[in-house]
Amino acid sequence: YSIRGLTPISEFNTFFSTDLSSEQFDTIAGLVTHGIGHLPERGEEVTLNNYHFKIISANSRRINSLQVMLLTDSKSESDNA
């Protein structure tokens, strides 16, 4: 899936039937930036809560778009092995 960085976490949760916390961050970009630990550049990737995010477009101030892939339990376990 391709999503905009400014997608509200609540909207993401509704679409993907998940429950990512929106207490600290309002948008997926905020959550991903926190997960990576810095403002990411195009091509950087992170896995959070069984979702793999890849930065598709970003500038020096924000993430514009991301690619999202839902990981299955077996794939998540093999990635951690």
Side-chain angles (χ1 to χ4, degrees), residues 35-54:
I36 290 178
H38 61 270
L39 187 59
E41 296 179 9
R42 184 177 147 195
E44 288 192 68
E45 302 180 29
V46 67
T47 299
L48 303 167
N49 298 33
N50 287 336
Y51 292 92
H52 186 79
F53 297 93
K54 181 176 181 180

Side-chain angles (χ1 to χ4, degrees), residues 13-74:
N13 285 341
T14 300
F15 184 84
F16 287 100
S17 298
T18 191
D19 62 348
L20 297 177
S21 176
S22 60
E23 288 182 25
Q24 287 185 306
F25 311 101
D26 296 326
T27 66
I28 291 298
L31 181 71
V32 169
T33 298
H34 179 75
I36 290 178
H38 61 270
L39 187 59
E41 296 179 9
R42 184 177 147 195
E44 288 192 68
E45 302 180 29
V46 67
T47 299
L48 303 167
N49 298 33
N50 287 336
Y51 292 92
H52 186 79
F53 297 93
K54 181 176 181 180
I55 310 306
I56 301 301
S57 173
N59 60 33
S60 62
R61 295 176 38 137
R62 70 177 58 159
I63 298 171
N64 296 314
S65 62
L66 307 98
Q67 183 178 42
V68 181
M69 182 172 37
L70 175 60
L71 303 175
T72 61
D73 287 337
S74 60

